[in-house]
Amino acid sequence: MEKEKISNNELHAIGINDVETMVNFSRVANGLLKHNVMGKSEILANLEALIDDPMPYALKKGGKFKNLAEDVIAMRKEGKFVKQERSNFKLKEEVAEFPVWGLEHIEVGALAQMRTAVQLPISVAGALMPDAHQGYGLPIGGVLATTANAIIPFAVGVDIACRMCLSIFDLPAETVDTEKDKLKNILVDNTYFGMGCTTKSYFDSSLFDSKTWNETKLIRTLKDKAYAQLGTSGTGNHFVEWGELTIAEGALDGIPAGKYLALLSHSGSRGFGGAVADHYSKIAMVKTKLPSEAKHLAWLDLDKDEGQEYWIAMNLAGEYASANHHEIHNKIARALGINPLTRIENHHNFAWKEQLADGTEVMVHRKGATPAGEGVLGIIPGSMSTPGFLVRGKGNATSINSASHGAGRLMSRSAAFKTLDKKLIAANLVEKRITLMGSDVDEAPMAYKDIHAVMAAQNDLVDVLAKFEPRIVRMANPKEKPED
C-alpha cells in the first residue's frame, strides 16, 4: 500500500504556485511526514501559517520550517513569490428562514448548526428533518441547497453515499421463525463487519472495470482497499437484518398486499469513502476560510480541479456503496436459494445537482436525509427493535424534496454508555423477539428517537407503503469503534 503523502494539489490549495517552490515545500513536508515528525494536517497548518507570516518560522533556531521561511522571505523581496489568494468569507448577517419538521424532537445544537449553514454566502435554501441531531458542519438530518458550482464535503458527510437497501422475497414472513437458525447462519456466513474488514470472494466485482478508478491519484491509491472491502459493512449503526415486511394494498406494482420475508441493510462506501471525505474536507477548509463556527462548512468550487476531483470521487463512492449492498444481498439470496421479487435502495450522505421549484439550479446536500421527490421510493429505518418504513416521496418543495433518513439519535454514544441499563435493553429485545448478533449499548433502541413520532412529523413529505419489523439483526462486534 502506498504511504500517505502531501500532494501538490494540497500545497497549491494553501497558496503555492511556482514549480521550484512547490518542489521545496513538498520535499520538506513529505520528509516530516515520512519520518513521523508530525501529522499531515499539522504540517499543512504550519505551512499555511508560514506563507501568511514567514518571519516567526525564520527566527526559530533549529525549526523544521526555518529554511522554507527564509526562502519565502527572500523571494518576496525579489518579487518572485506570488501567493495564491485564499478566500476569506463572511457569513450573511441575516439568518434566512428554513422549515423544520418535528421541532419538538430536535436538539438546540442541531438548530444552531442549521442556522449557521443557511448563512453561508453560497446557501440558497435549507431544511431540517425530524430525525436531526448535531454533527460536523451540517447537522445530521440537514438538507442544504447551495449554488450549483459549490460542494461542501462535510455537508455530504464522512461516510459518503451511506445508503439503505431492501430485498423482498416471495416467502411468508413466518419464515423468520420457522427457519430462524438457517437465516441466522446465512447472515453469519455472508456478512462481514468492522473497520478494515475485507472479503476474498465476490459475486460481482465488475464495477472495478470502470475507467473512473484511474481518474485521480487518490482514487487510484484507494482502489485496492475498496476492492478488498466490497461486500462488507461498517461499524456503529450499520447492519444487515432479516425481518417481516407488511405491504399495503396497491403499494408496489406487481407485488400483492401481504406479509413477506425481507432483508434490510445499512452501510456506505467503507474506507474508500472515508478517505475521500478526509482528504477533500481538509483541502476545502484550507481553501475556503470561514468564521470558526462555520469552518466545517468550507466548500470546493466545481470550476476548479479539487472540486471536480471530489465530485468524481463522491459519485464513484455512490456507485461503490450500491455495489457493496448488491454484493451482500446477492450472496444472501444465493444462499437462500431464491431471488428477490424486487430490490429497493436509496442514498443519504450525498450531493445532487437539482432544480428548486422556481427553476434555480442548485447543489442539494442531504446529510442523513432521504431523497423524497414525487414518486421516489426510499427506506427509513427505526432501530434494532423498532420498525422501519418503505416510503414514497410526495415531492414537497419546502423540504427540498427530502425526508428523514431514520429515527435519529436521542442521545450521544457516550451518554448511552453512561445511562442505559443492559438488563433493560436485553428485556426489550426479548419482548420484541429480536435475535441480535453484535452491537453494543450505544446502538440500543433507547438511544434513538421514537420512530413513530418522527414519521408522524413528516406525513406531508412521504407516504408509507410498507412496514419492516426487524427480527434477526447482525451488527459489528462491541469492540469495534463506531465509524458511522
Side-chain angles (χ1 to χ4, degrees), residues 159 194-197 229 232-234 268-275 320 324 483:
D159 189 5
M195 292 182 69
C197 167
Q229 291 190 322
T232 71
S233 304
S269 51
R270 307 294 286 116
F272 170 61
Y320 175 69
N324 203 35
E483 61 180 0

Side-chain angles (χ1 to χ4, degrees), residues 314-423:
M314 182 199 72
N315 280 285
L316 181 59
E319 294 179 50
Y320 175 69
S322 179
N324 203 35
H325 281 270
H326 292 181
E327 190 76 3
I328 295 167
H329 284 242
N330 284 332
K331 284 180 176 178
I332 288 175
R334 182 173 61 190
L336 187 62
I338 182 172
N339 289 323
L341 293 168
T342 191
R343 181 180 293 156
I344 298 162
E345 57 189 315
N346 67 269
H347 281 344
H348 44 261
N349 288 12
F350 210 68
W352 292 260
K353 292 181 179 180
E354 298 182 9
Q355 287 187 348
L356 298 181
D358 63 3
T360 302
E361 293 188 355
V362 291
M363 182 70 72
V364 179
H365 303 74
R366 294 185 178 94
K367 186 178 182 181
T370 300
E374 186 174 359
V376 174
L377 299 183
I379 303 147
I380 302 176
S383 70
M384 64 176 68
S385 75
T386 58
F389 299 90
L390 173 60
V391 300
R392 179 185 289 123
K394 292 185 175 182
N396 188 312
T398 55
S399 73
I400 318 178
N401 293 321
S402 306
S404 81
H405 83 311
R409 292 197 72 89
L410 181 63
M411 63 181 73
S412 68
R413 296 185 184 280
S414 58
F417 279 116
K418 290 176 183 176
T419 60
L420 298 183
D421 187 326
K422 287 187 177 182
K423 291 182 180 179

Side-chain angles (χ1 to χ4, degrees), residues 1 158-160 190-205 207-208 213 221-235 238 240 266-276 317 319-329 331 480-481 483:
M1 180 179 286
V158 174
D159 189 5
I160 298 174
N190 294 281
T191 62
Y192 309 88
F193 287 83
M195 292 182 69
C197 167
T198 61
T199 55
K200 293 182 179 179
S201 63
Y202 304 96
F203 188 94
D204 178 10
S205 60
L207 174 65
F208 289 89
W213 291 99
T221 63
L222 294 169
K223 183 178 179 181
D224 287 346
K225 172 184 277 191
Y227 181 79
Q229 291 190 322
L230 182 67
T232 71
S233 304
T235 57
H238 293 164
V240 183
H266 173 222
S267 61
S269 51
R270 307 294 286 116
F272 170 61
V276 168
E319 294 179 50
Y320 175 69
S322 179
N324 203 35
H325 281 270
H326 292 181
E327 190 76 3
I328 295 167
H329 284 242
K331 284 180 176 178
E480 292 283 355
K481 179 182 177 184
E483 61 180 0

Side-chain angles (χ1 to χ4, degrees), residues 270-283:
R270 307 294 286 116
F272 170 61
V276 168
D278 179 66
H279 181 80
Y280 288 102
S281 61
K282 287 176 179 175
I283 291 177

Side-chain angles (χ1 to χ4, degrees), residues 414-435:
S414 58
F417 279 116
K418 290 176 183 176
T419 60
L420 298 183
D421 187 326
K422 287 187 177 182
K423 291 182 180 179
L424 291 178
I425 296 169
N428 175 268
L429 297 179
V430 170
E431 178 189 355
K432 297 296 179 69
R433 299 158 60 212
I434 307 297
T435 298

Side-chain angles (χ1 to χ4, degrees), residues 77-226:
K77 286 180 179 178
E78 297 174 11
K80 292 182 179 179
F81 184 83
V82 180
K83 187 180 78 169
Q84 175 179 302
E85 289 298 321
R86 287 178 292 111
S87 302
N88 287 276
F89 294 93
K90 293 182 179 179
L91 300 181
K92 298 174 184 175
E93 292 186 5
E94 292 187 6
V95 180
E97 292 186 4
F98 56 89
V100 179
W101 278 262
L103 178 61
E104 65 274 20
H105 308 303
I106 298 174
E107 62 192 1
V108 174
L111 290 166
Q113 286 186 319
M114 197 68 216
R115 279 196 293 271
T116 300
V118 296
Q119 286 180 272
L120 292 174
I122 59 167
S123 291
V124 178
L128 203 55
M129 302 299 104
D131 62 336
H133 56 95
Q134 225 168 324
Y136 285 104
L138 196 66
I140 290 90
V143 182
L144 186 68
T146 64
T147 53
N149 67 333
I151 191 164
I152 306 170
F154 264 129
V156 169
V158 174
D159 189 5
I160 298 174
C162 191
R163 66 193 286 115
M164 304 300 305
C165 187
L166 175 73
S167 287
I168 305 170
F169 294 94
D170 192 12
L171 291 171
E174 294 79 18
T175 306
V176 82
D177 290 314
T178 59
E179 301 286 345
K180 178 179 175 180
D181 289 341
K182 176 182 176 180
L183 296 180
K184 182 178 175 180
N185 289 335
I186 287 175
L187 284 187
V188 171
D189 293 341
N190 294 281
T191 62
Y192 309 88
F193 287 83
M195 292 182 69
C197 167
T198 61
T199 55
K200 293 182 179 179
S201 63
Y202 304 96
F203 188 94
D204 178 10
S205 60
S206 59
L207 174 65
F208 289 89
D209 296 332
S210 169
K211 293 180 180 179
T212 310
W213 291 99
N214 294 316
E215 284 284 338
T216 71
K217 182 179 179 181
L218 180 66
I219 291 174
R220 289 193 295 274
T221 63
L222 294 169
K223 183 178 179 181
D224 287 346
K225 172 184 277 191

Side-chain angles (χ1 to χ4, degrees), residues 292-308:
S292 59
E293 69 271 24
K295 67 179 183 179
H296 288 118
L297 292 168
W299 63 87
L300 297 170
D301 190 334
L302 287 180
D303 294 331
K304 297 182 179 178
D305 287 348
E306 58 270 16
Q308 275 300 309

